[in-house]
Amino acid sequence: MKGCRVLTGDEIRNLMVNLSPRDRLLALTGLTFGTRISETLGLSFGDVSGKHLSIRSSKGSDNAVFPVPAPYREAVEAVREEYKTGGIEVTPATPLFISRNGTTMTRQAASQIVKHTCQALGIEGKVNTHSLRKSFVTAIYQKTNFDIAATKRYSRHKSLANLDYYRMKHNKRISSVGRCS
């Protein structure tokens, strides 16, 4: 999504400690696995019950399977307990992200959660659920030593052209190194 921005490490840490268990899991899903919001909202407890998370692509890219790290598993368990405490029966088919009215959370509601929490924390700029995916892709791009092909694979983008944003940001940063102001 054009216009939304990447979150800094400090902003991510601040965001995570200020979210409810369900909303923290929402953010953690995008930040850990680089999911699109439609992929995130399509997840159920059964999708994360084993040692791996299976992502069903919503945009024609490859489906993917990721190992589930311990902090993510703990966040899932916190949501399971929150739902059980609220009287919601949790089965493998239960959506991970249930709205206040008992249905699967909408894309708009998810985006509002991120946007409003960031505003309340003083995090400026256009921030929404796609900022979570952008932050993931940025981290992958840096960890792969700016290898755009590896970033494409990890992020499940359909084409390299879709990743020009990251390449241009990196090249702009490199070209400004050494300039005097």
Side-chain angles (χ1 to χ4, degrees), residues 19-24 45 75-88 90 96 98 100:
L19 292 169
S20 70
R22 181 202 63 184
D23 299 345
R24 187 176 309 113
F45 279 89
V76 170
E77 290 310 312
V79 171
R80 181 187 313 273
E81 288 306 311
E82 180 180 65
Y83 288 173
K84 285 182 179 179
T85 300
I88 298 171
V90 177
L96 279 181
I98 298 175
R100 307 281 180 235

Side-chain angles (χ1 to χ4, degrees), residues 108-161:
Q108 294 79 11
S111 193
Q112 289 299 312
I113 288 165
V114 173
K115 180 180 177 180
H116 288 265
T117 305
C118 286
Q119 286 174 343
L121 295 172
I123 298 172
E124 297 179 355
K126 184 176 179 185
V127 179
N128 58 34
T129 54
H130 197 69
S131 296
L132 306 171
R133 179 166 164 79
K134 259 187 169 175
S135 299
F136 167 85
V137 174
T138 298
I140 292 298
Y141 188 53
Q142 292 167 349
K143 286 179 182 179
T144 61
N145 200 28
F146 309 103
D147 182 337
I148 201 73
T151 301
K152 176 184 176 287
R153 241 185 348 270
Y154 286 116
S155 64
R156 299 171 342 278
H157 277 86
K158 288 187 277 187
S159 75
L160 289 175

Side-chain angles (χ1 to χ4, degrees), residues 41-97:
L41 296 177
L43 294 173
S44 68
F45 279 89
D47 293 323
V48 294
S49 63
K51 294 184 180 194
H52 294 88
L53 170 66
S54 179
I55 306 288
R56 293 174 300 281
S57 173
S58 63
K59 290 194 96 177
S61 58
D62 294 335
N63 293 338
V65 177
F66 296 99
V68 177
Y72 188 82
R73 189 172 314 289
E74 291 165 11
V76 170
E77 290 310 312
V79 171
R80 181 187 313 273
E81 288 306 311
E82 180 180 65
Y83 288 173
K84 285 182 179 179
T85 300
I88 298 171
E89 179 184 2
V90 177
T91 70
T94 304
L96 279 181
F97 305 102

